[in-house]
Amino acid sequence: MMLTIVVAMATNRAIGKDNKLLWHLPADLKHFKSLTSGHTVIMGRKTYDSIGKPLPNRRNIVISRQQDLEIPGIEVVSCLEDATALCNSEEEVFIIGGAQIYTAALAVTGKLEITIVEGDFEADTFFPETDPAQWKEVSRTAFPADEKNQLNYTFLTLIRR
């Protein structure tokens, strides 16, 4: 099974503030949907709360320390290891946040699908530092801001060396 982290982060690694996204980029949302549709997504409970519902056409697994948490349409587990154990037969599984889950998953992830949003943003949540020596860039596509996407952004794919 390939574990893939999907993240949209600013140049300063910012990913959120007050449990909300820092920007609205329809192209990034479309990219996220195309990557994850038909697959399992694993997220922390705060990320789930910010989304507010199970993502359609995906198996949704939420990691929470709350022992008795039940969410209709969601599988709830207590740790990343339990989440990935549910997915042993799957080819690719996506880790979609938040910061604590990214930090826990980084050591066992084989691929990073990153949207880099140009700019430094005020945030309370950041994507963890990565060691460039451990990752090989396999794809990079940059896009200028336009009428629908107000910021410059880049889709970047890295695989573990």
Side-chain angles (χ1 to χ4, degrees):
M1 170 191 43
M2 169 72 77
L3 265 186
T4 300
I5 284 177
V6 181
V7 62
M9 69 176 171
T11 309
N12 65 340
R13 305 186 87 75
I15 60 173
K17 183 170 181 175
D18 300 327
N19 210 30
K20 293 183 175 59
L21 295 175
L22 302 171
W23 47 74
H24 179 70
L25 285 175
D28 180 53
L29 298 174
K30 184 177 178 183
H31 180 65
F32 173 85
K33 184 177 180 179
S34 73
L35 287 171
T36 62
S37 283
H39 296 278
T40 295
V41 292
I42 297 172
M43 69 194 96
R45 196 244 337 131
K46 289 180 186 176
T47 297
Y48 171 76
D49 287 348
S50 74
I51 297 168
K53 63 181 184 202
L55 291 170
N57 194 30
R58 283 156 274 210
R59 179 183 182 193
N60 291 251
I61 300 175
V62 169
I63 300 170
S64 174
R65 289 185 208 97
Q66 188 178 328
Q67 297 294 325
D68 58 350
L69 181 64
E70 291 185 17
I71 308 169
I74 302 279
E75 295 170 76
V76 179
V77 297
S78 62
C79 64
L80 180 64
E81 294 75 23
D82 290 349
T84 58
L86 293 174
C87 307
N88 280 335
S89 64
E90 297 181 41
E91 194 173 313
E92 188 171 19
V93 174
F94 294 89
I95 307 291
I96 64 168
Q100 289 180 347
I101 305 303
Y102 287 143
T103 299
L106 202 52
V108 295
T109 295
K111 184 163 65 169
L112 303 176
E113 292 285 355
I114 303 171
T115 300
I116 300 170
V117 180
E118 280 189 32
D120 289 346
F121 290 79
E122 184 181 325
D124 57 19
T125 311
F126 296 84
F127 190 75
E129 291 289 333
T130 55
D131 179 358
Q134 291 186 7
W135 299 96
K136 175 184 176 187
E137 183 177 318
V138 294
S139 171
R140 176 186 293 259
T141 310
F143 299 90
D146 60 29
E147 63 280 346
K148 290 183 182 176
N149 300 278
Q150 302 295 310
L151 301 160
N152 297 333
Y153 61 97
T154 300
F155 294 147
L156 177 65
T157 304
L158 306 173
I159 56 170
R160 189 172 294 280
R161 292 186 189 271

